[in-house]
Structure formats: structure tokens, C-alpha cells
Amino acid sequence: MVNYAWSEEKITKFIKQGRGSGEFGEYKPWLTVRDVPSTGRESRIKGKKTNRKHQLLSDLEKKAFVIYDWNDCVIDIREQYPILERDKTREIAEILGFNHPKYPKTNILTVMTFDFLITSKSNTGEVYTYARSIKPFTKLLDERVVEKLLIEKYYAEQQNIDWGLITDKEIPDVLVRNLLDLRDIDYNINEENSEILVYCLTHILNTDQSNRVIDTIVTLSQNLSMDQEDVIIIIKYLIVNKHLNYNLMTRMNFHRQIWQDVLNGGVDRA
């Protein structure tokens, strides 16, 4: 049975285990889905950038994660990143006139966490790191939630870390649904399939942009003697690998969309 109770010994044990340390595939989040009481909304998703399972404690964290994992500028995603300097967060809380968070039924100061610590690389090659907290907009009506966010914010400022808050108001639901649909696309690449990919991409880019996407799928299916479902997988593969700059801000619907409406995609940094 999982023990959710906290103690100083447990915190020391987590630190010795390397929780909150490492980068990329070697990073170990401070909390995993097994360390918190289940709400049924937790998930573990394998990151395409880190090649490891990410520990996401809410639906909103999952939505933010899939956007970061898609973003070309993002090179590392560290979730549940701990602020181990509890003396500093306690001092900030005292200055602000807040009670520092404590673990339930204890007097132990909580190890606060950033939901995400993101490392990105600009087009000029500059590498920078920023922290993001993820909260439903309605939670901001809770004074205690705001107090905790302010402690995170001022700690980040002390460390010269760019901090920001993301709510469900800033996360495009359609984009998330599209990205989730594309996550599991797999296509076995060999010499023959590479030629098919090039053929499909060339055909799409040279097709009449007023054509429906489904019409192109039918044509490619006939030309290649392939099932339409296999052609759809190829198109999604081209989108996943950024060969097709497909507009993911509108819901993917190959039967209704025409090419000129969808070949203008792009995702900005959150």
C-alpha cells in the first residue's frame, strides 16, 4: 500500500534518489503519479524530446505537456521540478505575510514545485530556461492558491528564472486534441516506404489547393494501390515530422477540409 504521508526522512530519501535532478531522459521528477493520492486524472506520457515517461498530475498538465513536446524550440521538459531551498520559500512567505505550505497533518514545510521547468533554444542558438505553473482559471478565485503561486513567482525572480502562469484559457483545446491524435502515429521507414513518403509529399504540395484533403487521399490510394487508411497514416506521419505545415489550430477533418485552409500551421511558445 502506498504511503502518502510526508516526513523529513522521506524528503531526504527523495533527494538521495536524485528526484528533481538530471536533464532530458535522465531527469527524475520530484513527484510521480504514484506519490500522490489518485484523482483519476493523472497520466504518464512518453516524451518525444526526452524519450522518457513524463509524470503529469492533471488533465491540464497533460494538455500543456503535449504542446511543449510539439514545440520545435523546446529541447527539454522537466515536470514536478522541486524548489529544495525551503528556507528561501519560507522567507518569501514571511515577507509576503503568507503561511508557508505544509504537508497535511504535519508541521513540515512543503517542498514546493514548478509544474514545468522548460529549456528552449532560440533560432539564434540561445538556450534559456523558464518555469511555468499550470492552473485552471477557476482556481485563481482561491486566495490560498494565489498565495502559493506568488511564493513560486518571487522565488523564480530571485533565481533569475522567467516564471509564468498558464490556465485553461491559454491552452487551445482543438490544438491539444489534434496533437493527442497524432502522438501514436508510427510508420516503418525503409527504402521503399521512403520513396512512398516523398511521392505523397510531392503530390500534396503540387495538388490544387482548392481540393479536399479526402480527394487527395483517394487519388493517392488509387495511385499507390494502398488502403485509404494507410494513406491517412502517411499524411499524419508527414504532419508529425513537420514535413507538412498543417494548421492544427482547426480540428483535423480530412473529409471536409481543403488544402488551402490547412497548409498554414504553426505553434507559438506558451
Side-chain angles (χ1 to χ4, degrees):
M1 187 173 181
V2 179
N3 179 13
Y4 298 121
W6 283 88
S7 65
E8 290 293 350
E9 290 75 18
K10 183 174 181 178
I11 292 171
T12 300
K13 177 183 176 182
F14 273 27
I15 293 172
K16 288 182 177 178
Q17 289 175 347
R19 302 271 191 121
S21 64
E23 295 178 307
F24 307 103
E26 301 301 317
Y27 173 72
K28 294 181 179 180
W30 181 252
L31 296 173
T32 71
V33 297
R34 301 185 65 180
D35 296 320
V36 296
S38 176
T39 63
R41 314 310 303 177
E42 306 87 359
S43 55
R44 294 188 298 170
I45 301 180
K46 188 173 183 180
K48 296 183 180 300
K49 297 179 184 297
T50 63
N51 199 35
R52 67 172 177 84
K53 288 286 183 68
H54 287 258
Q55 309 288 324
L56 308 168
L57 304 184
S58 69
D59 284 338
L60 205 54
E61 285 187 11
K62 177 181 178 180
K63 290 178 178 181
F65 170 77
V66 296
I67 294 175
Y68 284 128
D69 206 34
W70 174 260
N71 190 320
D72 287 336
C73 292
V74 172
I75 58 177
D76 193 15
I77 305 169
R78 285 172 281 180
E79 74 281 15
Q80 324 308 337
Y81 189 85
I83 303 173
L84 296 176
E85 297 176 301
R86 287 181 289 166
D87 56 331
K88 292 188 177 180
T89 53
R90 178 181 58 193
E91 181 181 345
I92 291 170
E94 289 174 353
I95 292 172
L96 294 173
F98 303 154
N99 291 320
H100 191 288
K102 294 180 180 179
Y103 290 110
K105 300 179 181 179
T106 75
N107 283 317
I108 300 171
L109 298 181
T110 300
V111 175
M112 302 184 70
T113 58
F114 297 130
D115 293 325
F116 292 105
L117 192 68
I118 305 295
T119 303
S120 291
K121 190 173 185 178
S122 70
N123 293 333
T124 60
E126 177 192 3
V127 176
Y128 53 96
T129 298
Y130 51 98
R132 292 293 180 264
S133 292
I134 314 295
K135 286 287 182 288
F137 185 79
T138 54
K139 288 286 187 181
L140 302 184
L141 299 175
D142 186 328
E143 184 177 347
R144 187 57 177 150
V145 169
V146 174
E147 289 178 354
K148 294 176 182 178
L149 291 171
L150 285 173
I151 295 172
E152 289 181 31
K153 176 181 183 294
Y154 286 114
Y155 174 83
E157 285 184 0
Q158 284 185 358
Q159 306 302 311
N160 294 316
I161 298 173
D162 176 49
W163 179 91
L165 172 66
I166 296 175
T167 74
D168 45 313
K169 300 284 188 181
E170 287 81 53
I171 296 179
D173 212 41
V174 170
L175 171 62
V176 171
R177 290 171 64 192
N178 285 333
L179 293 179
L180 288 172
D181 285 349
L182 292 169
R183 284 196 69 81
D184 296 327
I185 294 299
D186 191 20
Y187 187 69
N188 183 31
I189 299 299
N190 53 37
E191 185 174 348
E192 180 182 359
N193 287 347
S194 295
E195 293 177 358
I196 292 174
L197 285 174
V198 171
Y199 177 83
C200 289
L201 179 60
T202 302
H203 182 91
I204 291 168
L205 295 179
N206 287 298
T207 196
D208 185 337
Q209 298 296 286
S210 65
N211 286 347
R212 291 187 306 163
V213 177
I214 187 60
D215 294 334
T216 302
I217 290 171
V218 171
T219 299
L220 288 171
S221 172
Q222 294 170 345
N223 292 352
L224 296 168
S225 300
M226 297 176 66
D227 291 338
Q228 290 183 24
E229 286 301 315
D230 291 331
V231 176
I232 290 173
I233 290 174
I234 289 173
I235 291 175
K236 288 184 175 181
Y237 179 90
L238 292 170
I239 296 171
V240 167
N241 289 277
K242 313 291 179 73
H243 299 306
L244 278 179
N245 192 22
Y246 204 93
N247 180 11
L248 297 177
M249 297 301 287
T250 59
R251 189 71 176 116
M252 280 192 301
N253 187 329
F254 293 158
H255 285 80
R256 294 185 177 181
Q257 292 171 320
I258 61 175
W259 286 112
Q260 66 186 18
D261 290 339
V262 295
L263 287 184
N264 60 349
V267 178
D268 293 329
R269 170 187 158 187

